[in-house]
Amino acid sequence: MTAIELPEIELTGPVTAAKPCALHPQAMCPAFGALRVLARIDGAHPVMATDIGCNYGLTFVTHFYGSRKSLLTHQLGTSELMQGDVVEGTRAAIEMAAQEPGCELIPVISLCVAETAGLPEEMLPTRVGNAEVVLVRVPAYAIYSHPETKDVALSTVLARLGEQDGPRADKTVVILGEVFPADPLAIDHLLRRMGVEQTIVLPGRNVGDLRRAGRVGAVAPLHPFYNRTITLFRSWRIPVVGGAPVGISGTYAWIKSLGEMLHLDPVLVNQIAEAERAAAQAVADHQPIEGTVLVTGYEGTELAYARLLIEAGADVPYVSTSIGQDPLVLPDELWLRRHGVRDIIYRKTLEHDVAALDAFKPDFVLGTTPFCNIAKDRGIPALYFTNQLAARPFFLSGGMAATAGFVRNAIAGGARAQWMLDFFAE
Amino acid sequence: MPNLIRDIPETSGYWGAVWTVCNLPDIHVIADAPVGCYSLLASAVSNYTDAIPNLENITPSFIREAEVMGSGTWPAVENVYKGLHETGKLEGKQLIVVSTAESEMIGSDLSEFMGRLGYNAKFFHSESLTHDEWTGRDRALIWLWENYGGNSATTALEPGLVNIIGPTYGCFNAPADLHEIRRLVEGAGGRINVVFPYEATVADIARLPKAQVNVVMYKEFGHTLANALERPWLYAPMGLRATTDFIRQLAQMLGTTDQAERFIKREKATTLKPIWDMWKGPQGDWYSTTTVGIVATGTYVDGLRAFLGDEMGMPVTLTAARPLRPGDMDNIALRKAIHAGAPSFLFGSINEKIYLSEAGNKMTNFIPAAFPGPIVRRALGTPFMGYAGTVYVVQEIVNRLFETLFNVLPLDTAYGRPAGGPPVAAKPSLPWQPAAKAQLDAALSKLHFLTRISVSQELQMAAETYAHTQHLSEVTPEVVEAVLAGRQGERR
């Protein structure tokens, strides 16, 4: 294990040494994360407290990426602010939302302007008709990234709805994280073979799932930014499985630790873990990724993707993300540093990513749309991390095959990127 | 009573102003904004409306808790300024600092600080807590003229020159409509001076008064600048009559009437020929029974109503302008109206599309005609304005009618049965109770007539099959209700 020492000493690669002038933060509006996961719950009718510009942008992206759900707010401009109508307007919007058919949950999403003006929780109802009213505070100036507001939203509604009474469902596991729909099916299938009785995926579509999540046997976070939610589960004395079923080593370790935590049959668990590890290894052996890849999204899942790509054979010198450094990310960070990643940037800006583009001359880039724009301007194939990776399986050996295969194809298409550049440069 | 808003159809003055001034490549904007007001505008929304990878000439001051809690935003703006300056991003640029709702919320007026910055820095108070995007654009255009412009009184006119004022980012269909208006201006005998701000630089602003006539693309904004330029101006036209009037009026102002008349004549034989052919052919016969609704900017509502309604004779059964004009339905009322029933064609934004899908309505043809909503409208051949616009819009309606017809024509159910399975036995037809028949007729009357034959047959068969499974000897209103509810359910 002496080989571990060397890369750790070389922490300052060319990028961090250059200290780029950080001007353009690369993060979605933080509030979008909360709005997305809340708008996707059946029977939930979000009410926003905000100005019209914010309302427009967030409604746009929620209708595009969240759900086909009508969204309510109240006028919050100069005259309403002067008259102190923030509370009155919010209450009126809540009343209207409660009239929607089947309304069970009214998340009140309080954004920059309303938070600055002040929206006291005790002035809002906690229940109207059949609907729980839950205030979710997500001012963009105080929370940096949209993954983190998914956590704020989920932990806030769970704290209200999670049921503590009743028998514990010891063999039910909460799978924590928004993932491609095929992933929870694959995970559920694998866990049932190990002896798990049920899985609940959060954030999900169902209010009932939020209620019974308070009585499960374990929670397995697939993403590293559910800090508040995990703290809540711990306060309920529900154990948390570390790591995530990603790649070869990650999948193996995750299956073993989950089996141990739930006291499942160790022989069976080991068999399944070995089989998954072998299947993932086969992906890496038979269809390895060749080339240098920069992994630079803003979803908070970038470190895990980098880990998978490295195990599949890629050279990943640089990883950046919008989320902050957190103990939950540390295992992946250490793993990546041991496997040749020179720079890992949290709370990144466009300038960080561009400096990495200069320094590492990648064959392929996974990034935000502004960064992909710059990479393609140089004839480097690039794909928008958010749209492309979230649309494919990622977890377990099947996810590794899908994601690695996709990246391999993208790298193979590199000549086209150069052709397009040449065509438009002429 | 608080003013409630459902699915807001227009954004704020900040967005309108930035979408206006950032068209000028030699302007750089520092948005006094939290991260979201920057990334939503500069990439998240612009990616899917204007189809640009990101707005490159805008940088946020990145308002954080410290700025909100007391320090104010000036230190953050100054810091960003230093970074932009040191990295050469402001070389050859004019700098504009633009306020946002949040900076206005904490009272951050930075006008007095602009003297400390270089690059001719100016502060634009976007009044985002008061104004919508359309007022924001109008104010930004006149502000650009007042701050970088010349003098109309002393600038010599150049005969024949025409400005087109209006197209900015976030204007639905602007590239195609601009392309068509440019074609009309040139056809009428004019020459384009400046397309402002879409194709302009800062230096072009002083050249604006050289034009003899200004064309304002939209009724929502641009008129304030047009008035300030002290030249005659016209709105861009929609429909056959308005477009012909526009060409003639413009030609009269330019003194090019002969050329314009030749152009109109040639257009009737070329660009507009399909309108005449479809009018004479089977398509034109459908117009008087094809109902239309329009929810879009007032420019589009008025233009499409005049063309499709007055000129082509299609019953326009629902309109609502965005931003709201007196008497227009807001989205709360509009949603109820669409849930209750919609015309055969609905021009609108993603909001109307959502209301149709909430109602399980798949028979109404939705045609994108407004933002918000992810839709790329960058092709030059999809105008709504001018002569070419009339052809494009009618062609779109007719083709969607064909599509609807295709979707309701019966598909041989044998293809869906397992191979080698037994043939489906014919069932004797059942008598219908009068109330059941009335209920079916009522449901059918909500559909476009072109689809009624097929849907009618489909519903009759479904009702009788259901009645058979219930061992009934006749079709009752309850059966029809169940079948209609089932159709509703499967569409969701």
Side-chain angles (χ1 to χ4, degrees), chain A residues 380-409:
Chain A
I380 298 167
L383 292 172
Y384 180 29
F385 185 100
T386 303
N387 286 5
Q388 296 303 319
L389 293 182
R392 295 184 161 72
F394 173 60
F395 296 96
L396 303 175
S397 57
M400 181 159 185
T403 296
F406 169 67
V407 169
R408 211 171 39 246
N409 282 343

mmCIF file of all heavy atoms in Angstrom, chain A residues 380-409:
data_model
loop_
_atom_site.group_PDB
_atom_site.id
_atom_site.type_symbol
_atom_site.label_atom_id
_atom_site.label_comp_id
_atom_site.label_asym_id
_atom_site.label_seq_id
_atom_site.Cartn_x
_atom_site.Cartn_y
_atom_site.Cartn_z
ATOM 1 N N ILE A 380 -13.351 19.556 -28.956
ATOM 2 C CA ILE A 380 -13.307 18.428 -28.015
ATOM 3 C C ILE A 380 -14.727 17.934 -27.792
ATOM 4 O O ILE A 380 -15.613 18.720 -27.473
ATOM 5 C CB ILE A 380 -12.688 18.881 -26.667
ATOM 6 C CG1 ILE A 380 -11.252 19.339 -26.889
ATOM 7 C CG2 ILE A 380 -12.757 17.768 -25.624
ATOM 8 C CD1 ILE A 380 -10.660 20.089 -25.710
ATOM 9 N N PRO A 381 -14.971 16.638 -27.967
ATOM 10 C CA PRO A 381 -16.335 16.153 -27.729
ATOM 11 C C PRO A 381 -16.738 16.380 -26.278
ATOM 12 O O PRO A 381 -15.942 16.155 -25.366
ATOM 13 C CB PRO A 381 -16.265 14.665 -28.062
ATOM 14 C CG PRO A 381 -14.821 14.313 -28.039
ATOM 15 C CD PRO A 381 -14.052 15.559 -28.356
ATOM 16 N N ALA A 382 -17.957 16.845 -26.092
ATOM 17 C CA ALA A 382 -18.420 17.179 -24.742
ATOM 18 C C ALA A 382 -19.906 16.929 -24.662
ATOM 19 O O ALA A 382 -20.629 17.123 -25.634
ATOM 20 C CB ALA A 382 -18.125 18.653 -24.447
ATOM 21 N N LEU A 383 -20.361 16.489 -23.498
ATOM 22 C CA LEU A 383 -21.791 16.264 -23.284
ATOM 23 C C LEU A 383 -22.214 16.876 -21.966
ATOM 24 O O LEU A 383 -21.449 16.880 -20.993
ATOM 25 C CB LEU A 383 -22.105 14.771 -23.267
ATOM 26 C CG LEU A 383 -21.932 14.017 -24.591
ATOM 27 C CD1 LEU A 383 -22.095 12.518 -24.362
ATOM 28 C CD2 LEU A 383 -22.933 14.500 -25.627
ATOM 29 N N TYR A 384 -23.446 17.379 -21.964
ATOM 30 C CA TYR A 384 -24.016 17.992 -20.756
ATOM 31 C C TYR A 384 -24.273 16.884 -19.740
ATOM 32 O O TYR A 384 -25.125 16.020 -19.958
ATOM 33 C CB TYR A 384 -25.296 18.731 -21.142
ATOM 34 C CG TYR A 384 -26.033 19.426 -20.015
ATOM 35 C CD1 TYR A 384 -25.359 19.916 -18.899
ATOM 36 C CD2 TYR A 384 -27.402 19.627 -20.102
ATOM 37 C CE1 TYR A 384 -26.053 20.568 -17.885
ATOM 38 C CE2 TYR A 384 -28.092 20.287 -19.100
ATOM 39 C CZ TYR A 384 -27.413 20.747 -17.986
ATOM 40 O OH TYR A 384 -28.112 21.389 -16.988
ATOM 41 N N PHE A 385 -23.526 16.930 -18.678
ATOM 42 C CA PHE A 385 -23.578 15.895 -17.637
ATOM 43 C C PHE A 385 -25.018 15.606 -17.211
ATOM 44 O O PHE A 385 -25.471 14.459 -17.177
ATOM 45 C CB PHE A 385 -22.757 16.401 -16.438
ATOM 46 C CG PHE A 385 -22.611 15.423 -15.317
ATOM 47 C CD1 PHE A 385 -21.451 14.672 -15.177
ATOM 48 C CD2 PHE A 385 -23.618 15.261 -14.376
ATOM 49 C CE1 PHE A 385 -21.315 13.759 -14.129
ATOM 50 C CE2 PHE A 385 -23.486 14.355 -13.334
ATOM 51 C CZ PHE A 385 -22.327 13.605 -13.205
ATOM 52 N N THR A 386 -25.758 16.671 -16.878
ATOM 53 C CA THR A 386 -27.097 16.525 -16.311
ATOM 54 C C THR A 386 -28.037 15.751 -17.222
ATOM 55 O O THR A 386 -28.674 14.790 -16.797
ATOM 56 C CB THR A 386 -27.682 17.923 -16.032
ATOM 57 O OG1 THR A 386 -26.796 18.607 -15.156
ATOM 58 C CG2 THR A 386 -29.059 17.841 -15.414
ATOM 59 N N ASN A 387 -28.126 16.175 -18.481
ATOM 60 C CA ASN A 387 -29.101 15.546 -19.373
ATOM 61 C C ASN A 387 -28.695 14.140 -19.776
ATOM 62 O O ASN A 387 -29.538 13.262 -19.897
ATOM 63 C CB ASN A 387 -29.256 16.370 -20.652
ATOM 64 C CG ASN A 387 -30.037 17.650 -20.427
ATOM 65 O OD1 ASN A 387 -30.385 17.960 -19.300
ATOM 66 N ND2 ASN A 387 -30.282 18.377 -21.491
ATOM 67 N N GLN A 388 -27.406 13.953 -20.009
ATOM 68 C CA GLN A 388 -26.976 12.697 -20.617
ATOM 69 C C GLN A 388 -26.802 11.578 -19.604
ATOM 70 O O GLN A 388 -27.250 10.461 -19.815
ATOM 71 C CB GLN A 388 -25.683 12.910 -21.408
ATOM 72 C CG GLN A 388 -25.861 13.852 -22.579
ATOM 73 C CD GLN A 388 -26.952 13.379 -23.534
ATOM 74 O OE1 GLN A 388 -27.054 12.194 -23.820
ATOM 75 N NE2 GLN A 388 -27.775 14.292 -24.000
ATOM 76 N N LEU A 389 -26.150 11.872 -18.486
ATOM 77 C CA LEU A 389 -25.854 10.786 -17.550
ATOM 78 C C LEU A 389 -27.070 10.389 -16.734
ATOM 79 O O LEU A 389 -27.259 9.226 -16.417
ATOM 80 C CB LEU A 389 -24.687 11.179 -16.638
ATOM 81 C CG LEU A 389 -23.360 11.318 -17.392
ATOM 82 C CD1 LEU A 389 -22.234 11.658 -16.437
ATOM 83 C CD2 LEU A 389 -23.023 10.045 -18.159
ATOM 84 N N ALA A 390 -27.918 11.374 -16.415
ATOM 85 C CA ALA A 390 -29.104 11.048 -15.617
ATOM 86 C C ALA A 390 -30.088 10.206 -16.417
ATOM 87 O O ALA A 390 -31.031 9.661 -15.864
ATOM 88 C CB ALA A 390 -29.775 12.331 -15.137
ATOM 89 N N ALA A 391 -29.882 10.087 -17.719
ATOM 90 C CA ALA A 391 -30.820 9.365 -18.575
ATOM 91 C C ALA A 391 -30.372 7.927 -18.827
ATOM 92 O O ALA A 391 -30.828 7.288 -19.770
ATOM 93 C CB ALA A 391 -30.987 10.113 -19.897
ATOM 94 N N ARG A 392 -29.446 7.443 -17.990
ATOM 95 C CA ARG A 392 -28.940 6.076 -18.177
ATOM 96 C C ARG A 392 -28.751 5.400 -16.834
ATOM 97 O O ARG A 392 -28.478 6.070 -15.843
ATOM 98 C CB ARG A 392 -27.577 6.118 -18.858
ATOM 99 C CG ARG A 392 -27.685 6.660 -20.197
ATOM 100 C CD ARG A 392 -26.423 6.665 -20.976
ATOM 101 N NE ARG A 392 -26.819 6.795 -22.357
ATOM 102 C CZ ARG A 392 -27.300 7.927 -22.875
ATOM 103 N NH1 ARG A 392 -27.414 8.987 -22.147
ATOM 104 N NH2 ARG A 392 -27.678 7.964 -24.125
ATOM 105 N N PRO A 393 -28.846 4.072 -16.808
ATOM 106 C CA PRO A 393 -28.532 3.370 -15.560
ATOM 107 C C PRO A 393 -27.083 3.647 -15.151
ATOM 108 O O PRO A 393 -26.226 3.881 -15.998
ATOM 109 C CB PRO A 393 -28.710 1.897 -15.920
ATOM 110 C CG PRO A 393 -29.530 1.873 -17.148
ATOM 111 C CD PRO A 393 -29.234 3.142 -17.879
ATOM 112 N N PHE A 394 -26.846 3.612 -13.859
ATOM 113 C CA PHE A 394 -25.514 3.936 -13.354
ATOM 114 C C PHE A 394 -25.051 2.944 -12.291
ATOM 115 O O PHE A 394 -23.871 2.637 -12.168
ATOM 116 C CB PHE A 394 -25.549 5.362 -12.785
ATOM 117 C CG PHE A 394 -24.297 5.791 -12.086
ATOM 118 C CD1 PHE A 394 -23.078 5.825 -12.768
ATOM 119 C CD2 PHE A 394 -24.324 6.183 -10.750
ATOM 120 C CE1 PHE A 394 -21.917 6.236 -12.118
ATOM 121 C CE2 PHE A 394 -23.164 6.594 -10.105
ATOM 122 C CZ PHE A 394 -21.966 6.621 -10.789
ATOM 123 N N PHE A 395 -25.997 2.415 -11.504
ATOM 124 C CA PHE A 395 -25.617 1.628 -10.345
ATOM 125 C C PHE A 395 -25.499 0.135 -10.683
ATOM 126 O O PHE A 395 -26.058 -0.344 -11.658
ATOM 127 C CB PHE A 395 -26.623 1.843 -9.209
ATOM 128 C CG PHE A 395 -26.602 3.275 -8.736
ATOM 129 C CD1 PHE A 395 -27.523 4.193 -9.218
ATOM 130 C CD2 PHE A 395 -25.628 3.714 -7.859
ATOM 131 C CE1 PHE A 395 -27.483 5.520 -8.808
ATOM 132 C CE2 PHE A 395 -25.578 5.040 -7.447
ATOM 133 C CZ PHE A 395 -26.507 5.941 -7.920
ATOM 134 N N LEU A 396 -24.746 -0.566 -9.834
ATOM 135 C CA LEU A 396 -24.505 -2.008 -9.970
ATOM 136 C C LEU A 396 -23.785 -2.290 -11.297
ATOM 137 O O LEU A 396 -23.420 -1.360 -12.030
ATOM 138 C CB LEU A 396 -25.815 -2.803 -9.857
ATOM 139 C CG LEU A 396 -26.619 -2.578 -8.563
ATOM 140 C CD1 LEU A 396 -27.945 -3.325 -8.612
ATOM 141 C CD2 LEU A 396 -25.811 -3.008 -7.338
ATOM 142 N N SER A 397 -23.587 -3.551 -11.597
ATOM 143 C CA SER A 397 -22.800 -3.891 -12.799
ATOM 144 C C SER A 397 -23.518 -3.462 -14.066
ATOM 145 O O SER A 397 -22.898 -3.032 -15.038
ATOM 146 C CB SER A 397 -22.506 -5.389 -12.825
ATOM 147 O OG SER A 397 -23.722 -6.122 -12.791
ATOM 148 N N GLY A 398 -24.868 -3.546 -14.048
ATOM 149 C CA GLY A 398 -25.639 -3.138 -15.225
ATOM 150 C C GLY A 398 -25.470 -1.654 -15.509
ATOM 151 O O GLY A 398 -25.344 -1.229 -16.658
ATOM 152 N N GLY A 399 -25.456 -0.863 -14.445
ATOM 153 C CA GLY A 399 -25.255 0.576 -14.592
ATOM 154 C C GLY A 399 -23.862 0.879 -15.107
ATOM 155 O O GLY A 399 -23.662 1.782 -15.923
ATOM 156 N N MET A 400 -22.907 0.105 -14.647
ATOM 157 C CA MET A 400 -21.533 0.317 -15.105
ATOM 158 C C MET A 400 -21.439 0.036 -16.609
ATOM 159 O O MET A 400 -20.812 0.796 -17.353
ATOM 160 C CB MET A 400 -20.578 -0.599 -14.346
ATOM 161 C CG MET A 400 -19.139 -0.406 -14.779
ATOM 162 S SD MET A 400 -18.009 -0.985 -13.516
ATOM 163 C CE MET A 400 -16.441 -0.500 -14.231
ATOM 164 N N ALA A 401 -22.081 -1.027 -17.042
ATOM 165 C CA ALA A 401 -22.046 -1.366 -18.472
ATOM 166 C C ALA A 401 -22.674 -0.247 -19.294
ATOM 167 O O ALA A 401 -22.124 0.192 -20.311
ATOM 168 C CB ALA A 401 -22.774 -2.686 -18.717
ATOM 169 N N ALA A 402 -23.835 0.259 -18.837
ATOM 170 C CA ALA A 402 -24.548 1.279 -19.611
ATOM 171 C C ALA A 402 -23.758 2.579 -19.670
ATOM 172 O O ALA A 402 -23.592 3.183 -20.730
ATOM 173 C CB ALA A 402 -25.924 1.526 -18.987
ATOM 174 N N THR A 403 -23.250 3.011 -18.513
ATOM 175 C CA THR A 403 -22.560 4.294 -18.454
ATOM 176 C C THR A 403 -21.206 4.230 -19.165
ATOM 177 O O THR A 403 -20.854 5.127 -19.934
ATOM 178 C CB THR A 403 -22.404 4.735 -16.986
ATOM 179 O OG1 THR A 403 -23.715 4.940 -16.451
ATOM 180 C CG2 THR A 403 -21.622 6.031 -16.873
ATOM 181 N N ALA A 404 -20.462 3.154 -18.922
ATOM 182 C CA ALA A 404 -19.150 3.042 -19.560
ATOM 183 C C ALA A 404 -19.304 2.924 -21.074
ATOM 184 O O ALA A 404 -18.539 3.532 -21.836
ATOM 185 C CB ALA A 404 -18.395 1.837 -19.003
ATOM 186 N N GLY A 405 -20.310 2.174 -21.502
ATOM 187 C CA GLY A 405 -20.532 2.018 -22.945
ATOM 188 C C GLY A 405 -20.876 3.345 -23.601
ATOM 189 O O GLY A 405 -20.388 3.685 -24.683
ATOM 190 N N PHE A 406 -21.653 4.107 -22.904
ATOM 191 C CA PHE A 406 -22.060 5.419 -23.409
ATOM 192 C C PHE A 406 -20.853 6.349 -23.555
ATOM 193 O O PHE A 406 -20.682 7.023 -24.580
ATOM 194 C CB PHE A 406 -23.089 6.006 -22.434
ATOM 195 C CG PHE A 406 -23.400 7.442 -22.660
ATOM 196 C CD1 PHE A 406 -24.059 7.846 -23.811
ATOM 197 C CD2 PHE A 406 -23.032 8.398 -21.731
ATOM 198 C CE1 PHE A 406 -24.345 9.182 -24.029
ATOM 199 C CE2 PHE A 406 -23.316 9.732 -21.932
ATOM 200 C CZ PHE A 406 -23.969 10.128 -23.087
ATOM 201 N N VAL A 407 -19.998 6.356 -22.549
ATOM 202 C CA VAL A 407 -18.813 7.225 -22.593
ATOM 203 C C VAL A 407 -17.845 6.759 -23.683
ATOM 204 O O VAL A 407 -17.257 7.568 -24.399
ATOM 205 C CB VAL A 407 -18.129 7.268 -21.206
ATOM 206 C CG1 VAL A 407 -16.762 7.938 -21.282
ATOM 207 C CG2 VAL A 407 -19.018 8.000 -20.209
ATOM 208 N N ARG A 408 -17.726 5.443 -23.829
ATOM 209 C CA ARG A 408 -16.836 4.916 -24.873
ATOM 210 C C ARG A 408 -17.311 5.381 -26.255
ATOM 211 O O ARG A 408 -16.521 5.826 -27.087
ATOM 212 C CB ARG A 408 -16.812 3.388 -24.796
ATOM 213 C CG ARG A 408 -15.494 2.794 -25.234
ATOM 214 C CD ARG A 408 -15.425 1.301 -24.948
ATOM 215 N NE ARG A 408 -16.695 0.645 -25.200
ATOM 216 C CZ ARG A 408 -17.438 0.093 -24.256
ATOM 217 N NH1 ARG A 408 -17.026 0.088 -23.000
ATOM 218 N NH2 ARG A 408 -18.583 -0.463 -24.551
ATOM 219 N N ASN A 409 -18.608 5.327 -26.484
ATOM 220 C CA ASN A 409 -19.160 5.783 -27.771
ATOM 221 C C ASN A 409 -18.912 7.262 -27.990
ATOM 222 O O ASN A 409 -18.618 7.699 -29.100
ATOM 223 C CB ASN A 409 -20.673 5.544 -27.823
ATOM 224 C CG ASN A 409 -20.985 4.091 -28.103
ATOM 225 O OD1 ASN A 409 -20.122 3.344 -28.556
ATOM 226 N ND2 ASN A 409 -22.208 3.697 -27.812
#
